[in-house]
Amino acid sequence: MTAKRRVALLGSTGSIGTQALQVIALHPERFDVAALTAHSNRDLLFEQVRRFRPAFAALTAGETEIPEDLRFCEWGFGEDALVTAARDVPCDDVLVAVVGMAGLPSVLAARESGRRVLLANKEALVAGGGLVMDLCPPDEANPSLIPVDSEHSAVFQCLRAAGTPYESITLTASGGPFRTWDAQQLATATLEDALRHPTWNMGRKITVDSATMFNKALEIIEAKWLFRAEPGQIDVLIHPESVIHSMVHFRDGATLAQMGVPDMRTPIAYALGFPGRPESGAGALRLGAMGTLRFEEPDPVRFPALRLAYEALAAGGTACCVLNAANEEAAGAFLGGSLRYTGVAAVVEETLGRVPSTKADSLENILRADTIARQAARRLIKEGFPRKR
Ligand code: NDP
Ligand code: MG
């Protein structure tokens, strides 16, 4: 019997967080929950603390009254509590499932204190990938960073199976709810339309990112860091059924793919259980019942996000951080009703044009670039950019 792994779960009340707890609950003999954090959803966090009994819990939005029966654990409040959970609470793995670049300091803190990071929070790598990867030296047998994002989990699994250098990576994309919409329809797309994702059930921000294809743009940058790839080694293929989670191509002409039903519990269980494959609760893939799998090239005109990712990668420095910050602001504005769908890519592109890239060599510099980019994007949105022609 191996020792239980102690897991700190940051963002436990979200889509990934709740599914991670479902997986953990299947294996009480394997995992202990060391920490749980939420932003403002206290009721769900209280319920989770009652059930999983962590040593530390936190609400990052700020202080609140803690019920008598939940005072057995230590409580933290405010954004710094994420770093406390990642660095100071005794644990083995830190599963970072918060949304947005707010996750970056905790990813760095977890690695600085020698914890293994299970990473769902792609924005941390997009904004600060160089800093994160400096803390994650390559180690096949004992990786310090395991991706949870389904595409990157797929690539990670294929690379382990291959055990040889790869030529290139194909990230698959469902194409989102607007895959078949023409430019005229896209100009009138509503939030309700965008939130109707065809294959995945996720948090609101990533669902909007899927509709704009910024999710895939972020994933290209995420893949560049995780797999130490050149941007030219990464391409994207639309695959509406979302059962091939990504592919890796090798010199001998072989392509390895990882498949499964679109259910995040599979990559979550893989990351938690590495190098084993504990049961996840996801169903089995039945290809016979599906009949056909479809593939299409992405359309760069209707979905400019992918081009912007490659441009930001080529610019280097803080450009990817700027792209991420502008997208967080624009996606938030679209969710809040103050920006239309086509405005999201326009605001990101304009922000990238206005905010010069600087050195991304410290957390301080990245946080500064993030703030400047957010200010620029907010100003554009407030001014009603882009004007309707
Ligand atoms: P959700 O919005 O469902 O959950 C986000 C979690 O983070 C919640 O626990 C939320 O707390 C907390 N949170 C929100 N804002 C902050 C903040 N400023 N500081 C600290 N914590 C915060 O998101 P998802 O679970 O969908 O996504 C989480 C991450 O995983 C994202 O980076 C996303 O891109 C990535 N991911 C998600 C997938 C999915 O299927 N959902 C797939 C692949 C990657 P509260 O509930 O209190 O608001
Ligand atoms: Mg993904």
Side-chain angles (χ1 to χ4, degrees):
M1 176 82 198
T2 49
K4 279 188 182 183
R5 286 199 76 88
R6 299 162 301 171
V7 183
L9 174 46
L10 314 189
S12 62
T13 50
S15 162
I16 295 290
T18 51
Q19 293 180 86
L21 288 176
Q22 286 173 27
V23 173
I24 286 171
L26 291 175
H27 306 281
E29 75 299 345
R30 237 179 134 134
F31 304 115
D32 265 336
V33 174
L36 293 171
T37 81
H39 191 56
S40 59
N41 189 348
R42 1 173 285 158
D43 292 345
L44 181 55
L45 181 69
F46 289 167
E47 223 176 90
Q48 294 176 338
V49 169
R50 217 165 256 126
R51 173 151 184 218
F52 291 94
R53 309 197 72 79
F56 180 82
L59 277 160
T60 45
E63 188 127 17
T64 190
E65 176 74 16
I66 302 302
E68 197 75 44
D69 67 319
L70 297 182
R71 294 192 191 157
F72 63 86
C73 69
E74 191 188 330
W75 282 86
F77 303 101
E79 290 290 335
D80 291 350
L82 276 188
V83 169
T84 306
R87 187 192 55 203
D88 300 337
V89 179
C91 72
D92 304 297
D93 297 335
V94 181
L95 200 170
V96 186
V98 302
V99 61
M101 133 93 174
L104 177 60
S106 57
V107 172
L108 297 174
R111 282 306 305 138
E112 277 157 3
S113 53
R115 274 102 211 238
R116 184 157 81 178
V117 171
L118 317 180
L119 190 67
N121 177 238
K122 65 191 81 183
E123 295 91 342
L125 271 186
V126 173
L131 295 184
V132 175
M133 296 315 290
D134 281 350
L135 297 169
C136 302
D139 183 345
E140 289 232 345
N142 194 16
S144 51
L145 177 60
I146 303 184
V148 169
D149 208 349
S150 58
E151 296 76 2
H152 305 75
S153 174
V155 171
F156 183 91
Q157 294 178 51
C158 292
L159 290 176
R160 273 188 70 79
T164 185
Y166 65 92
E167 289 279 295
S168 64
I169 291 170
T170 298
L171 300 175
T172 52
S174 71
F178 300 139
R179 181 175 61 86
T180 60
W181 289 37
D182 64 25
Q184 226 175 352
Q185 289 172 301
L186 287 178
T188 63
T190 64
L191 177 59
E192 203 190 349
D193 297 325
L195 291 179
R196 230 178 273 130
H197 196 276
T199 45
W200 295 96
N201 185 7
M202 313 174 283
R204 282 161 72 84
K205 190 257 176 183
I206 185 175
T207 303
V208 167
D209 285 350
S210 298
T212 57
M213 297 282 290
F214 270 103
N215 183 46
K216 214 49 57 178
L218 301 180
E219 289 183 357
I220 290 169
I221 302 165
E222 186 186 8
K224 173 225 146 76
W225 290 114
L226 281 172
F227 309 116
R228 295 171 163 88
E230 293 301 323
Q233 289 179 289
I234 309 167
D235 67 4
V236 170
L237 185 64
I238 307 287
H239 164 43
E241 290 78 14
S242 304
V243 300
I244 296 181
H245 297 311
S246 278
M247 310 175 217
V248 185
H249 312 286
F250 296 89
R251 193 180 326 162
D252 60 356
T255 290
L256 297 192
Q258 186 263 340
M259 304 175 75
V261 289
D263 187 323
M264 285 307 295
R265 288 174 299 178
T266 303
I268 291 168
Y270 181 79
L272 282 167
F274 181 88
R277 283 185 181 275
E279 193 191 318
S280 71
L285 178 62
R286 309 225 179 274
L287 285 173
M290 300 186 70
T292 309
L293 298 183
R294 291 165 297 168
F295 303 96
E296 301 163 9
E297 295 297 336
D299 179 346
V301 179
R302 286 182 303 138
F303 300 103
L306 303 187
R307 169 179 55 82
L308 295 177
Y310 288 111
E311 287 176 8
L313 280 172
T318 52
C320 292
C321 170
V322 171
L323 176 143
N324 176 69
N327 180 57
E328 285 194 31
E329 290 297 323
F334 177 60
L335 276 165
S338 59
L339 184 66
R340 62 181 187 277
Y341 170 82
T342 47
V344 176
V347 164
V348 175
E349 180 154 22
E350 186 67 17
T351 306
L352 276 167
R354 289 188 184 195
V355 178
S357 169
T358 51
K359 275 194 179 155
D361 54 358
S362 68
L363 180 58
E364 197 186 0
N365 287 348
I366 287 167
L367 294 176
R368 189 178 311 121
D370 177 75
T371 304
I372 293 170
R374 282 174 198 272
Q375 285 165 348
R378 270 189 223 143
R379 202 173 315 123
L380 286 166
I381 294 163
K382 200 162 165 221
E383 288 164 359
F385 182 88
R387 300 249 171 259
K388 265 196 175 141
R389 270 182 284 252

